[in-house]
Amino acid sequence: MDDREPKHLARVVLGVDVGGTKITASAVDTHGNLTGRIQISTDISSPQATLKSIQNTVEQAISRSGLSRSDIQAVGLGIPGLIDPGSGIGIASVNLGWRDVPVKAWLEERLGLPCHIENDVRAAAFGEARYGTGRGLDNMIFLIIGTGIMAVVIQGSRIYRGSNGLAGEIGHAIIKRDSPQCKCGAHGCFEALATGPAIAARATQKVLEGRASQLASYSGKDVPSLTAEHVFEAAAQGDDVALETIHEVAEDVAYLIQFLALAYDPQVIVLGGGVTQAGVLFLHPVFRVLERMAEERWVFHRVYTSTLVQASRLGADIGVLGAAALAAQAV
Ligand SMILES: [Zn+2]
């Protein structure tokens, strides 16, 4: 079935981005336009309370949009953590304090609308495929680099999940064994090298080694308060340690992109997440390394083009649009 078939002129779905601190919901039309967008704080005092906050946010978004409940075809929810879209159960979410929460059943009963749930990063990838850079393409990879690293492979409007549902957990692939320990326990995972916290840790290490840098004021020996934002700010001002850190991280990210490009040969790799939002300061060094690799290696040269790797253009509402795309796909 072609899910873009224009059966209804006004096919509206509701997207809900469920975060550990806030929930954002909005009605979304077929073109990705938002109406009735609302954001409220997440009550994480209990799973029941969180579900109640989600219900409230959805009801307020419908009311704000001026639509009636019967105009909404389905509700999509992007939720952090391990999610089972089939059963509609939130299996585990550290941010929400969830264990085996029957999200879909609970919400459908109270909202009277079909609900579809998915992991938030995977939902965001659907958003890119439907409303963003991947629109109209048959296959793409969404690579998120923020507090974690994950790749989502989309082929023919479907997510490739693998046999254990772990396909795309590339953040825990090891590339430098003599590198810092990752939160998974291993040494040298991409996540230990290129996430926001990893960028801060790499810069902190250089400062602790005695390198002169304006970042020294942030990194006390006992409680380093340096963040990736500080590193990008300092790099923009020409700080050597900050620039060196970003170039090292950019090289590791370029290798990660090269692995993905050669493993899947996608039409596009869309970059999302907090680290890539640093913009040209981060992306230009990544592109320079990729171009160098494409010049030096003929196999990579065959898959690499100047448009293969692109930053997400969906902005701050990528979570809502992703959840909406999930619902639209299910309709
Ligand atoms: Zn790891």
Side-chain angles (χ1 to χ4, degrees):
M1 189 185 76
D2 181 6
D3 54 19
R4 291 189 187 136
E5 193 182 343
K7 272 187 192 141
H8 307 272
L9 283 176
R11 294 177 64 159
V12 180
V13 292
L14 209 115
V16 190
D17 180 15
V18 182
T21 55
K22 43 195 194 281
I23 301 167
T24 315
S26 179
V28 178
D29 71 11
T30 47
H31 304 289
N33 299 312
L34 276 62
T35 33
R37 184 187 184 280
I38 186 163
Q39 188 167 71
I40 67 169
S41 300
T42 316
D43 183 347
I44 53 164
S45 55
S46 71
Q48 191 84 5
T50 312
L51 289 170
K52 191 82 191 144
S53 330
I54 295 171
Q55 182 193 352
N56 287 342
T57 318
V58 169
E59 282 169 348
Q60 289 187 49
I62 295 173
S63 142
R64 268 198 183 194
S65 67
L67 296 161
S68 67
R69 199 166 292 230
S70 59
D71 295 324
I72 308 290
Q73 296 194 299
V75 180
L77 300 111
I79 301 167
L82 193 58
I83 304 301
D84 181 357
S87 64
I89 290 173
I91 298 170
S93 172
V94 177
N95 300 10
L96 301 173
W98 280 7
R99 276 264 167 204
D100 297 321
V101 176
V103 189
K104 179 180 164 76
W106 196 97
L107 287 170
E108 284 186 343
E109 193 185 326
R110 281 146 188 96
L111 293 170
L113 289 166
C115 296
H116 305 278
I117 67 170
E118 181 55 278
N119 163 270
D120 55 352
V121 176
R122 286 179 164 165
F126 271 132
E128 278 299 337
R130 195 173 191 93
Y131 306 116
T133 307
R135 190 169 194 157
L137 302 181
D138 182 57
N139 62 72
M140 61 164 272
I141 293 175
F142 179 65
L143 175 62
I144 191 159
I145 307 174
T147 51
I149 292 178
M150 187 178 169
V152 185
V153 178
I154 294 188
Q155 171 85 51
S157 308
R158 290 184 167 273
I159 288 178
Y160 177 74
R161 292 172 193 278
S163 51
N164 296 292
L166 288 172
E169 288 289 355
I170 194 83
H172 297 290
I174 295 164
I175 56 158
K176 287 180 183 166
R177 292 178 63 183
D178 56 347
S179 294
Q181 192 170 24
C182 177
K183 59 180 189 267
C184 75
H187 283 264
C189 298
F190 279 111
E191 281 208 4
L193 292 166
T195 54
I199 291 169
R202 287 174 87 153
T204 300
Q205 186 58 37
K206 291 179 196 297
V207 172
L208 293 179
E209 283 164 6
R211 300 276 306 277
S213 167
Q214 68 186 74
L215 295 170
S217 58
Y218 294 108
S219 47
K221 257 199 163 83
D222 297 324
V223 190
S225 58
L226 189 62
T227 65
E229 287 76 24
H230 296 139
V231 179
F232 284 114
E233 273 167 31
Q237 289 160 28
D239 184 87
D240 282 342
V241 165
L243 285 167
E244 186 183 288
T245 304
I246 289 170
H247 281 95
E248 288 170 5
V249 172
E251 177 129 358
D252 291 338
V253 168
Y255 275 100
L256 171 55
I257 290 170
Q258 178 214 218
F259 293 150
L260 292 171
L262 288 171
Y264 296 99
D265 190 11
Q267 285 171 292
V268 67
I269 297 176
V270 181
L271 304 181
V275 170
T276 61
Q277 277 160 19
V280 292
L281 209 54
F282 179 70
L283 295 174
H284 279 179
V286 173
F287 290 143
R288 273 202 296 275
V289 179
L290 287 170
E291 281 154 15
R292 195 188 71 216
M293 288 195 287
E295 279 166 23
E296 290 169 356
R297 295 159 217 184
W298 73 266
V299 183
F300 185 57
H301 186 80
R302 301 277 298 182
V303 299
Y304 185 75
T305 65
S306 61
T307 55
L308 176 70
V309 183
Q310 298 185 39
S312 167
R313 289 193 290 257
L314 294 185
D317 282 318
I318 185 168
V320 169
L321 287 166
L326 176 72
Q329 168 135 333
V331 169

